[in-house]
Amino acid sequence: ESGDIVSWEWLANDGPAGSGTQIEYVYAENTGAAMTLTVTSSTGCDTSITQDVLVRTSPVVAMTHSPACAGEEIIFVGSASIDYGGVTGYTWAFGNSGITETGAQADHLFTSAGNQPVSLTVTSNLGCTTAIIQNVMVYPTPQSSFVLDVDAVGGNLPIGLLDLSEVEEPSDLVNYAWYFDDELVSNTTSSAIYAPGPGMYDVTLVVTTEAGCSDSYTAQQAVHVYPVPQAGFSLASEEAFMSNPVVQIVNQASADVSTWEYHFGDGATASFSSGVHQYATWDEFHITQIVENTFGCTDTATRSFRVNEEALIYIPNAFTPDGNGHNEGFKPVMSGFRPTLYSFTIFDRWGSTVFQTNDLDGCWNGQYRNEGEMSPDGSYNWQIDYRTEDSPVIQRMGGSVMLLR
């Protein structure tokens, strides 16, 4: 019985596959499979055929890339795995540029920041292909820039580094690396640093964003760092007494020093290299040496020197209270110490007190207790009792003086 074919039904071994004279069907697994076609005529007659189908999976594809920074080559690396057969080709396409490359690794430069589509198509030796598209965020590249506050400086002085680098939003600068020649000296933004040593230095700043995009700027021969002298001196002794309150200084500064200046702690200064200085009083003094070389670089050193109290007492052996204005009074002349207790007494030949004072400036004018009758000419005994700041013991000394008119 004749008639027309009115239906075509396809059946895979894992379920219905479709209808029509031609279909496309995706098998779920890499396995042996079959496909059955059943056709039916207008008279209701049908016929089926079954054919084995060898199904192979397509490659499993992935891509990675280096930091994506505008204006810099980005390295793309493709990887693929396949259960059966092998990979025979990689094809890359970058954005809307129309540029393609082949190979498992490719590089491309995007001139502007933003999301850029990158596709990778991998083909197997059985003709199976897999294509993936990845939106790559291309970040802005920073611009490194800086200025220095000096172009010549002594090695013991800081050099100001002022960062002027910029980057477009949304990126931020997160890392700074300053180099003097090839030596890393700082990881801060603007900074004040000391050079590693004397010399002429190239200064480089490398800035990096949170996305790993970086830029560097080098100022050639940007700063000249001069050598610094080394101050130093010794003292012949670290203390003296008021009988000879002299300090002797021996210069020990470095050989490149051209000028010296000493501050002795009592307001006095000197410009010798080695020498002596005499103090007028007792105390603890700090002596500072300031040295300078021909480049104008300076250094300082300080040492301590002590002048100790020492009771220096001069007693005249005669005085003449005759009204002529010369040698009218009798008193001890004291220096080198500061008494905390003081008594000055004068006795006549019979031991009677004719004068007594606790005033350091007190002076006997020859009268009885400085207000009575004038004492007769002759020899009088005196006695001094005193105590110094550095000793609790009362010291006593005595002698005689001639009153002459």
Side-chain angles (χ1 to χ4, degrees), residues 10-208:
W10 302 81
L11 180 66
N13 58 345
D14 53 356
S19 300
T21 59
Q22 180 177 314
I23 66 168
E24 291 183 1
Y25 184 75
V26 178
Y27 288 90
E29 296 182 357
N30 176 22
T31 181
M35 181 64 72
T36 299
L37 171 60
T38 301
V39 296
T40 303
S41 70
S42 58
T43 60
C45 298
D46 58 44
T47 300
S48 298
I49 62 171
T50 298
Q51 182 174 323
D52 291 333
V53 179
L54 181 59
V55 178
R56 300 300 183 195
T57 56
S58 298
V60 177
V61 179
M63 74 168 77
T64 59
H65 58 82
S66 63
C69 306
E72 297 183 1
E73 293 284 347
I74 307 170
I75 298 174
F76 293 89
V77 178
S79 61
S81 62
I82 192 168
D83 291 340
Y84 183 82
V87 173
T88 57
Y90 295 80
T91 302
W92 301 84
F94 302 100
N96 300 318
S97 65
I99 297 174
T100 61
E101 289 192 28
T102 59
Q105 179 174 308
D107 53 64
H108 184 72
L109 183 150
F110 290 103
T111 58
S112 59
N115 278 313
Q116 303 288 352
V118 176
S119 68
L120 171 61
T121 302
V122 177
T123 304
S124 74
N125 62 341
L126 297 177
C128 298
T129 62
T130 299
I132 62 171
I133 298 176
Q134 182 173 318
N135 283 323
V136 176
M137 180 60 188
V138 179
Y139 292 91
T141 298
Q143 297 296 314
S144 175
S145 179
F146 64 88
V147 294
L148 307 180
D149 67 346
V150 292
D151 57 10
V153 68
N156 60 347
L157 297 176
I159 301 167
L161 309 174
L162 178 61
D163 169 50
L164 300 177
S165 303
E166 297 179 339
V167 67
E168 296 177 1
E169 294 182 349
S171 289
D172 291 309
L173 296 173
V174 296
N175 187 62
Y176 301 81
W178 296 89
Y179 294 87
F180 274 34
D181 289 345
D182 295 325
E183 183 170 345
L184 177 66
V185 294
S186 177
N187 285 117
T188 62
T189 170
S190 297
S191 181
I193 62 95
Y194 293 87
M200 183 71 77
Y201 288 94
D202 297 340
V203 180
T204 299
L205 171 61
V206 180
V207 293
T208 307

Side-chain angles (χ1 to χ4, degrees), residues 250-268:
V250 180
N251 173 54
Q252 294 178 333
S254 55
D256 62 333
V257 170
S258 57
T259 62
W260 296 258
E261 184 176 297
Y262 290 91
H263 294 255
F264 296 102
D266 60 351

Side-chain angles (χ1 to χ4, degrees), residues 232-247:
F233 66 98
S234 64
L235 305 178
S237 175
E238 294 185 352
E239 64 176 355
F241 291 86
M242 283 301 298
S243 57
N244 185 32
V246 174
V247 60

